[in-house]
PDB file of all heavy atoms in Angstrom:
ATOM      1  N   ALA A   1      -1.201  -9.596   3.349  1.00  0.00           N
ATOM      2  CA  ALA A   1      -1.801  -9.746   2.019  1.00  0.00           C
ATOM      3  C   ALA A   1      -3.326  -9.728   2.121  1.00  0.00           C
ATOM      4  O   ALA A   1      -3.914 -10.432   2.941  1.00  0.00           O
ATOM      5  CB  ALA A   1      -1.327 -11.042   1.373  1.00  0.00           C
ATOM      6  N   GLY A   2      -3.954  -8.909   1.302  1.00  0.00           N
ATOM      7  CA  GLY A   2      -5.407  -8.791   1.297  1.00  0.00           C
ATOM      8  C   GLY A   2      -5.942  -7.693   2.187  1.00  0.00           C
ATOM      9  O   GLY A   2      -7.119  -7.322   2.089  1.00  0.00           O
ATOM     10  N   ASP A   3      -5.088  -7.145   3.071  1.00  0.00           N
ATOM     11  CA  ASP A   3      -5.531  -6.087   3.993  1.00  0.00           C
ATOM     12  C   ASP A   3      -5.485  -4.721   3.306  1.00  0.00           C
ATOM     13  O   ASP A   3      -4.599  -4.448   2.487  1.00  0.00           O
ATOM     14  CB  ASP A   3      -4.636  -6.037   5.238  1.00  0.00           C
ATOM     15  CG  ASP A   3      -4.801  -7.255   6.119  1.00  0.00           C
ATOM     16  OD1 ASP A   3      -5.766  -8.014   5.896  1.00  0.00           O
ATOM     17  OD2 ASP A   3      -3.963  -7.444   7.021  1.00  0.00           O
ATOM     18  N   VAL A   4      -6.419  -3.865   3.684  1.00  0.00           N
ATOM     19  CA  VAL A   4      -6.390  -2.471   3.259  1.00  0.00           C
ATOM     20  C   VAL A   4      -5.524  -1.690   4.243  1.00  0.00           C
ATOM     21  O   VAL A   4      -5.684  -1.830   5.460  1.00  0.00           O
ATOM     22  CB  VAL A   4      -7.809  -1.873   3.215  1.00  0.00           C
ATOM     23  CG1 VAL A   4      -7.756  -0.366   2.948  1.00  0.00           C
ATOM     24  CG2 VAL A   4      -8.649  -2.566   2.158  1.00  0.00           C
ATOM     25  N   ILE A   5      -4.595  -0.902   3.734  1.00  0.00           N
ATOM     26  CA  ILE A   5      -3.782  -0.054   4.603  1.00  0.00           C
ATOM     27  C   ILE A   5      -4.695   1.044   5.137  1.00  0.00           C
ATOM     28  O   ILE A   5      -5.218   1.848   4.362  1.00  0.00           O
ATOM     29  CB  ILE A   5      -2.595   0.546   3.836  1.00  0.00           C
ATOM     30  CG1 ILE A   5      -1.697  -0.592   3.315  1.00  0.00           C
ATOM     31  CG2 ILE A   5      -1.789   1.492   4.719  1.00  0.00           C
ATOM     32  CD1 ILE A   5      -0.572  -0.130   2.413  1.00  0.00           C
ATOM     33  N   PRO A   6      -4.943   1.087   6.441  1.00  0.00           N
ATOM     34  CA  PRO A   6      -5.989   1.970   6.969  1.00  0.00           C
ATOM     35  C   PRO A   6      -5.624   3.448   7.015  1.00  0.00           C
ATOM     36  O   PRO A   6      -6.496   4.302   6.953  1.00  0.00           O
ATOM     37  CB  PRO A   6      -6.226   1.420   8.371  1.00  0.00           C
ATOM     38  CG  PRO A   6      -4.921   0.805   8.762  1.00  0.00           C
ATOM     39  CD  PRO A   6      -4.326   0.259   7.495  1.00  0.00           C
ATOM     40  N   VAL A   7      -4.336   3.766   7.176  1.00  0.00           N
ATOM     41  CA  VAL A   7      -3.921   5.164   7.318  1.00  0.00           C
ATOM     42  C   VAL A   7      -2.594   5.365   6.594  1.00  0.00           C
ATOM     43  O   VAL A   7      -1.928   4.408   6.210  1.00  0.00           O
ATOM     44  CB  VAL A   7      -3.743   5.559   8.808  1.00  0.00           C
ATOM     45  CG1 VAL A   7      -5.064   5.583   9.538  1.00  0.00           C
ATOM     46  CG2 VAL A   7      -2.753   4.610   9.494  1.00  0.00           C
ATOM     47  N   ASP A   8      -2.204   6.610   6.426  1.00  0.00           N
ATOM     48  CA  ASP A   8      -0.879   6.897   5.878  1.00  0.00           C
ATOM     49  C   ASP A   8       0.183   6.455   6.878  1.00  0.00           C
ATOM     50  O   ASP A   8       0.003   6.590   8.090  1.00  0.00           O
ATOM     51  CB  ASP A   8      -0.705   8.399   5.620  1.00  0.00           C
ATOM     52  CG  ASP A   8      -1.621   8.907   4.522  1.00  0.00           C
ATOM     53  OD1 ASP A   8      -2.291   8.074   3.887  1.00  0.00           O
ATOM     54  OD2 ASP A   8      -1.669  10.127   4.310  1.00  0.00           O
ATOM     55  N   GLY A   9       1.284   5.958   6.367  1.00  0.00           N
ATOM     56  CA  GLY A   9       2.339   5.524   7.276  1.00  0.00           C
ATOM     57  C   GLY A   9       3.658   5.309   6.575  1.00  0.00           C
ATOM     58  O   GLY A   9       3.790   5.513   5.365  1.00  0.00           O
ATOM     59  N   GLU A  10       4.632   4.878   7.361  1.00  0.00           N
ATOM     60  CA  GLU A  10       5.988   4.625   6.880  1.00  0.00           C
ATOM     61  C   GLU A  10       6.330   3.183   7.214  1.00  0.00           C
ATOM     62  O   GLU A  10       6.171   2.740   8.361  1.00  0.00           O
ATOM     63  CB  GLU A  10       6.965   5.575   7.569  1.00  0.00           C
ATOM     64  CG  GLU A  10       8.250   5.804   6.812  1.00  0.00           C
ATOM     65  CD  GLU A  10       8.086   6.803   5.682  1.00  0.00           C
ATOM     66  OE1 GLU A  10       7.140   7.609   5.706  1.00  0.00           O
ATOM     67  OE2 GLU A  10       8.931   6.770   4.776  1.00  0.00           O
ATOM     68  N   ILE A  11       6.773   2.426   6.208  1.00  0.00           N
ATOM     69  CA  ILE A  11       7.134   1.025   6.441  1.00  0.00           C
ATOM     70  C   ILE A  11       8.432   0.967   7.243  1.00  0.00           C
ATOM     71  O   ILE A  11       9.434   1.580   6.869  1.00  0.00           O
ATOM     72  CB  ILE A  11       7.313   0.280   5.109  1.00  0.00           C
ATOM     73  CG1 ILE A  11       6.014   0.308   4.298  1.00  0.00           C
ATOM     74  CG2 ILE A  11       7.743  -1.158   5.354  1.00  0.00           C
ATOM     75  CD1 ILE A  11       6.146  -0.309   2.920  1.00  0.00           C
ATOM     76  N   ILE A  12       8.392   0.243   8.361  1.00  0.00           N
ATOM     77  CA  ILE A  12       9.598   0.105   9.175  1.00  0.00           C
ATOM     78  C   ILE A  12      10.190  -1.298   9.070  1.00  0.00           C
ATOM     79  O   ILE A  12      11.333  -1.526   9.466  1.00  0.00           O
ATOM     80  CB  ILE A  12       9.300   0.424  10.656  1.00  0.00           C
ATOM     81  CG1 ILE A  12       8.252  -0.545  11.222  1.00  0.00           C
ATOM     82  CG2 ILE A  12       8.859   1.865  10.818  1.00  0.00           C
ATOM     83  CD1 ILE A  12       8.072  -0.424  12.722  1.00  0.00           C
ATOM     84  N   GLU A  13       9.419  -2.224   8.508  1.00  0.00           N
ATOM     85  CA  GLU A  13       9.918  -3.586   8.341  1.00  0.00           C
ATOM     86  C   GLU A  13       9.100  -4.286   7.260  1.00  0.00           C
ATOM     87  O   GLU A  13       7.881  -4.117   7.163  1.00  0.00           O
ATOM     88  CB  GLU A  13       9.815  -4.363   9.657  1.00  0.00           C
ATOM     89  CG  GLU A  13      10.418  -5.759   9.589  1.00  0.00           C
ATOM     90  CD  GLU A  13      10.311  -6.518  10.909  1.00  0.00           C
ATOM     91  OE1 GLU A  13      10.070  -5.861  11.952  1.00  0.00           O
ATOM     92  OE2 GLU A  13      10.454  -7.755  10.888  1.00  0.00           O
ATOM     93  N   GLY A  14       9.815  -5.063   6.432  1.00  0.00           N
ATOM     94  CA  GLY A  14       9.125  -5.867   5.437  1.00  0.00           C
ATOM     95  C   GLY A  14       9.092  -5.222   4.063  1.00  0.00           C
ATOM     96  O   GLY A  14       9.454  -4.061   3.869  1.00  0.00           O
ATOM     97  N   VAL A  15       8.660  -6.025   3.095  1.00  0.00           N
ATOM     98  CA  VAL A  15       8.486  -5.576   1.724  1.00  0.00           C
ATOM     99  C   VAL A  15       7.207  -6.218   1.197  1.00  0.00           C
ATOM    100  O   VAL A  15       6.915  -7.378   1.500  1.00  0.00           O
ATOM    101  CB  VAL A  15       9.707  -5.952   0.845  1.00  0.00           C
ATOM    102  CG1 VAL A  15       9.970  -7.451   0.890  1.00  0.00           C
ATOM    103  CG2 VAL A  15       9.509  -5.495  -0.591  1.00  0.00           C
ATOM    104  N   ALA A  16       6.428  -5.467   0.449  1.00  0.00           N
ATOM    105  CA  ALA A  16       5.147  -5.994  -0.028  1.00  0.00           C
ATOM    106  C   ALA A  16       4.781  -5.359  -1.358  1.00  0.00           C
ATOM    107  O   ALA A  16       5.251  -4.277  -1.721  1.00  0.00           O
ATOM    108  CB  ALA A  16       4.047  -5.730   0.998  1.00  0.00           C
ATOM    109  N   SER A  17       3.950  -6.064  -2.082  1.00  0.00           N
ATOM    110  CA  SER A  17       3.373  -5.543  -3.319  1.00  0.00           C
ATOM    111  C   SER A  17       2.056  -4.864  -2.955  1.00  0.00           C
ATOM    112  O   SER A  17       1.200  -5.461  -2.299  1.00  0.00           O
ATOM    113  CB  SER A  17       3.139  -6.694  -4.303  1.00  0.00           C
ATOM    114  OG  SER A  17       2.532  -6.229  -5.476  1.00  0.00           O
ATOM    115  N   VAL A  18       1.909  -3.596  -3.358  1.00  0.00           N
ATOM    116  CA  VAL A  18       0.749  -2.803  -2.948  1.00  0.00           C
ATOM    117  C   VAL A  18      -0.031  -2.335  -4.172  1.00  0.00           C
ATOM    118  O   VAL A  18       0.547  -1.795  -5.124  1.00  0.00           O
ATOM    119  CB  VAL A  18       1.183  -1.579  -2.117  1.00  0.00           C
ATOM    120  CG1 VAL A  18      -0.025  -0.748  -1.701  1.00  0.00           C
ATOM    121  CG2 VAL A  18       1.969  -2.031  -0.882  1.00  0.00           C
ATOM    122  N   ASN A  19      -1.325  -2.561  -4.145  1.00  0.00           N
ATOM    123  CA  ASN A  19      -2.209  -2.084  -5.208  1.00  0.00           C
ATOM    124  C   ASN A  19      -2.656  -0.664  -4.861  1.00  0.00           C
ATOM    125  O   ASN A  19      -3.406  -0.461  -3.910  1.00  0.00           O
ATOM    126  CB  ASN A  19      -3.416  -3.013  -5.344  1.00  0.00           C
ATOM    127  CG  ASN A  19      -4.321  -2.618  -6.490  1.00  0.00           C
ATOM    128  OD1 ASN A  19      -4.197  -1.536  -7.052  1.00  0.00           O
ATOM    129  ND2 ASN A  19      -5.232  -3.500  -6.858  1.00  0.00           N
ATOM    130  N   GLU A  20      -2.207   0.323  -5.637  1.00  0.00           N
ATOM    131  CA  GLU A  20      -2.529   1.730  -5.377  1.00  0.00           C
ATOM    132  C   GLU A  20      -3.548   2.277  -6.367  1.00  0.00           C
ATOM    133  O   GLU A  20      -3.649   3.482  -6.581  1.00  0.00           O
ATOM    134  CB  GLU A  20      -1.248   2.569  -5.413  1.00  0.00           C
ATOM    135  CG  GLU A  20      -0.255   2.184  -4.329  1.00  0.00           C
ATOM    136  CD  GLU A  20       0.965   3.083  -4.304  1.00  0.00           C
ATOM    137  OE1 GLU A  20       1.220   3.746  -5.324  1.00  0.00           O
ATOM    138  OE2 GLU A  20       1.645   3.130  -3.259  1.00  0.00           O
ATOM    139  N   ALA A  21      -4.322   1.376  -6.982  1.00  0.00           N
ATOM    140  CA  ALA A  21      -5.291   1.811  -7.988  1.00  0.00           C
ATOM    141  C   ALA A  21      -6.303   2.794  -7.417  1.00  0.00           C
ATOM    142  O   ALA A  21      -6.811   3.659  -8.125  1.00  0.00           O
ATOM    143  CB  ALA A  21      -6.012   0.596  -8.577  1.00  0.00           C
ATOM    144  N   ALA A  22      -6.606   2.665  -6.123  1.00  0.00           N
ATOM    145  CA  ALA A  22      -7.575   3.580  -5.512  1.00  0.00           C
ATOM    146  C   ALA A  22      -7.087   5.017  -5.541  1.00  0.00           C
ATOM    147  O   ALA A  22      -7.881   5.957  -5.529  1.00  0.00           O
ATOM    148  CB  ALA A  22      -7.843   3.158  -4.061  1.00  0.00           C
ATOM    149  N   ILE A  23      -5.760   5.199  -5.599  1.00  0.00           N
ATOM    150  CA  ILE A  23      -5.189   6.542  -5.579  1.00  0.00           C
ATOM    151  C   ILE A  23      -4.738   6.969  -6.968  1.00  0.00           C
ATOM    152  O   ILE A  23      -5.044   8.064  -7.428  1.00  0.00           O
ATOM    153  CB  ILE A  23      -3.978   6.602  -4.615  1.00  0.00           C
ATOM    154  CG1 ILE A  23      -4.395   6.116  -3.226  1.00  0.00           C
ATOM    155  CG2 ILE A  23      -3.418   8.002  -4.554  1.00  0.00           C
ATOM    156  CD1 ILE A  23      -5.472   6.948  -2.580  1.00  0.00           C
ATOM    157  N   THR A  24      -3.999   6.095  -7.654  1.00  0.00           N
ATOM    158  CA  THR A  24      -3.381   6.479  -8.924  1.00  0.00           C
ATOM    159  C   THR A  24      -4.151   6.028 -10.144  1.00  0.00           C
ATOM    160  O   THR A  24      -3.906   6.516 -11.243  1.00  0.00           O
ATOM    161  CB  THR A  24      -1.966   5.880  -9.030  1.00  0.00           C
ATOM    162  OG1 THR A  24      -2.080   4.450  -9.085  1.00  0.00           O
ATOM    163  CG2 THR A  24      -1.124   6.265  -7.841  1.00  0.00           C
ATOM    164  N   GLY A  25      -5.071   5.068  -9.992  1.00  0.00           N
ATOM    165  CA  GLY A  25      -5.751   4.525 -11.153  1.00  0.00           C
ATOM    166  C   GLY A  25      -4.955   3.407 -11.809  1.00  0.00           C
ATOM    167  O   GLY A  25      -5.409   2.773 -12.757  1.00  0.00           O
ATOM    168  N   GLU A  26      -3.729   3.133 -11.343  1.00  0.00           N
ATOM    169  CA  GLU A  26      -2.897   2.092 -11.922  1.00  0.00           C
ATOM    170  C   GLU A  26      -3.333   0.726 -11.407  1.00  0.00           C
ATOM    171  O   GLU A  26      -3.516   0.530 -10.208  1.00  0.00           O
ATOM    172  CB  GLU A  26      -1.425   2.330 -11.562  1.00  0.00           C
ATOM    173  CG  GLU A  26      -0.817   3.547 -12.221  1.00  0.00           C
ATOM    174  CD  GLU A  26      -0.586   3.344 -13.703  1.00  0.00           C
ATOM    175  OE1 GLU A  26      -0.759   2.212 -14.181  1.00  0.00           O
ATOM    176  OE2 GLU A  26      -0.256   4.322 -14.382  1.00  0.00           O
ATOM    177  N   SER A  27      -3.478  -0.229 -12.327  1.00  0.00           N
ATOM    178  CA  SER A  27      -3.885  -1.569 -11.918  1.00  0.00           C
ATOM    179  C   SER A  27      -2.701  -2.425 -11.502  1.00  0.00           C
ATOM    180  O   SER A  27      -2.849  -3.388 -10.755  1.00  0.00           O
ATOM    181  CB  SER A  27      -4.632  -2.259 -13.075  1.00  0.00           C
ATOM    182  OG  SER A  27      -3.819  -2.284 -14.235  1.00  0.00           O
ATOM    183  N   ALA A  28      -1.497  -2.116 -12.002  1.00  0.00           N
ATOM    184  CA  ALA A  28      -0.322  -2.903 -11.671  1.00  0.00           C
ATOM    185  C   ALA A  28       0.176  -2.549 -10.274  1.00  0.00           C
ATOM    186  O   ALA A  28       0.435  -1.376  -9.988  1.00  0.00           O
ATOM    187  CB  ALA A  28       0.782  -2.657 -12.689  1.00  0.00           C
TER     188      ALA A  28
END
């Protein structure tokens, strides 16, 4: 939580809420 995902990748474990506003413009 709070970390920026540094590169493109595939989640292999876990579930998280991700803010993609930087890409899509969506705030939710």
